[in-house]
Amino acid sequence: MQNSTKLSVVQAVLATPECKDRHKVMRVFFTLLCVAAVSLSVLGGDRRHKTSEGDLRRYQQLYLESVCQREAGNKVAQFRLLERAVQVNPNGAEAYFDLAQMAARTAMPVPILQYLAKAHSLVPSNKDYTFEYARCLLSSVDERGIELMTALTRDEDMREDAYMELCSYFQWQQDYEGLCRTLEQWRPIKADDEFISSRKLYSAMSLGR
């Protein structure tokens, strides 16, 4: 996409009343950079759905408008814009992710797992997409979530949250062997932690019943 086209999209969106606030403008501009990076990979990558440059420009504008509506607190408008965005560009991972996030916080009729799965499949390297998808799988008692969450324990930034989710899942399922195993893997990394010690004692007592 040419620089002049990118600039026109930015100017059109930032001119909206909702985006006049300086901090909001900075957040929107950062979002544009993220969208542009993903969009370039979609155009150049081997995806099932090929997105034309015209559709990509329209998608970027719709997505950025949805960000402005989110910052303004207009959830219904944000939801509608995101739905239109994924219709224009079925490869828009960030739009699918935002739809799922909206469903988690509101009563919007959105299939959370389906949208998280789509976002993760489009950008599997995105750790936030993977974490939320894995957590949703675990809440559905889908063991694919265990594999994804276990992989995240090897990432320094995601490790603690991933271990916490796994421990919560195994305790919820009363899988005390799984809980013990997870705590043993976590302990060398987070030694002398009170949470780990108490959970190990709890799981050992539960196994001894």
Side-chain angles (χ1 to χ4, degrees):
M1 187 184 304
Q2 296 180 349
N3 290 335
S4 59
T5 304
K6 290 182 182 178
L7 183 59
S8 65
V9 173
V10 178
Q11 290 172 334
V13 175
L14 297 186
T16 59
E18 294 88 347
C19 292
K20 293 297 185 182
D21 182 84
R22 180 175 178 273
H23 296 292
K24 292 180 181 178
V25 169
M26 293 302 295
R27 284 196 293 268
V28 172
F29 183 71
F30 177 75
T31 302
L32 175 67
L33 296 179
C34 297
V35 174
V38 172
S39 301
L40 287 173
S41 67
V42 169
L43 281 174
D46 182 21
R47 298 294 189 191
R48 294 177 184 176
H49 179 89
K50 296 296 184 180
T51 307
S52 68
E53 286 199 26
D55 284 345
L56 185 56
R57 285 194 295 271
R58 180 60 180 151
Y59 168 78
Q60 289 177 326
Q61 187 169 18
L62 287 167
Y63 182 75
L64 288 170
E65 286 174 1
S66 80
V67 173
C68 289
Q69 293 301 326
R70 181 188 68 200
E71 296 296 335
N74 299 327
K75 297 186 183 302
V76 174
Q78 180 194 3
F79 176 75
R80 290 174 178 168
L81 286 163
L82 288 170
E83 282 201 319
R84 288 166 60 193
V86 296
Q87 290 172 359
V88 171
N89 176 22
N91 293 330
E94 54 283 311
Y96 285 112
F97 186 74
D98 284 3
L99 279 166
Q101 292 289 291
M102 286 194 72
R105 301 188 183 106
T106 67
M108 292 291 182
V110 177
I112 303 177
L113 183 58
Q114 177 184 329
Y115 282 149
L116 286 174
K118 184 70 173 177
H120 172 70
S121 69
L122 289 167
V123 192
S125 61
N126 187 301
K127 293 180 287 188
D128 291 329
Y129 295 176
T130 303
F131 180 80
E132 294 299 334
Y133 178 44
R135 186 160 66 170
C136 194
L137 287 171
L138 291 176
S139 69
S140 302
V141 197
D142 187 326
E143 292 194 354
R144 290 178 298 170
I146 298 175
E147 181 180 352
L148 288 171
M149 200 65 80
T150 300
L152 287 174
T153 63
R154 294 189 284 273
D155 183 278
E156 185 176 354
D157 295 330
M158 307 296 292
R159 180 176 295 139
E160 185 163 352
D161 288 338
Y163 273 124
M164 286 290 289
E165 289 294 331
L166 286 169
C167 288
S168 297
Y169 172 77
F170 288 129
Q171 184 170 335
W172 172 45
Q173 291 299 301
Q174 297 184 353
D175 181 352
Y176 300 114
E177 290 184 359
L179 179 57
C180 281
R181 184 171 59 252
T182 301
L183 290 167
E184 283 295 330
Q185 293 169 353
W186 193 6
R187 187 169 63 174
I189 303 167
K190 197 176 178 67
D192 300 324
D193 184 88
E194 184 177 345
F195 172 82
I196 295 177
S197 299
S198 64
R199 290 301 89 189
K200 278 186 65 64
L201 178 61
Y202 170 81
S203 57
M205 292 175 63
S206 299
L207 284 169
R209 288 175 184 173

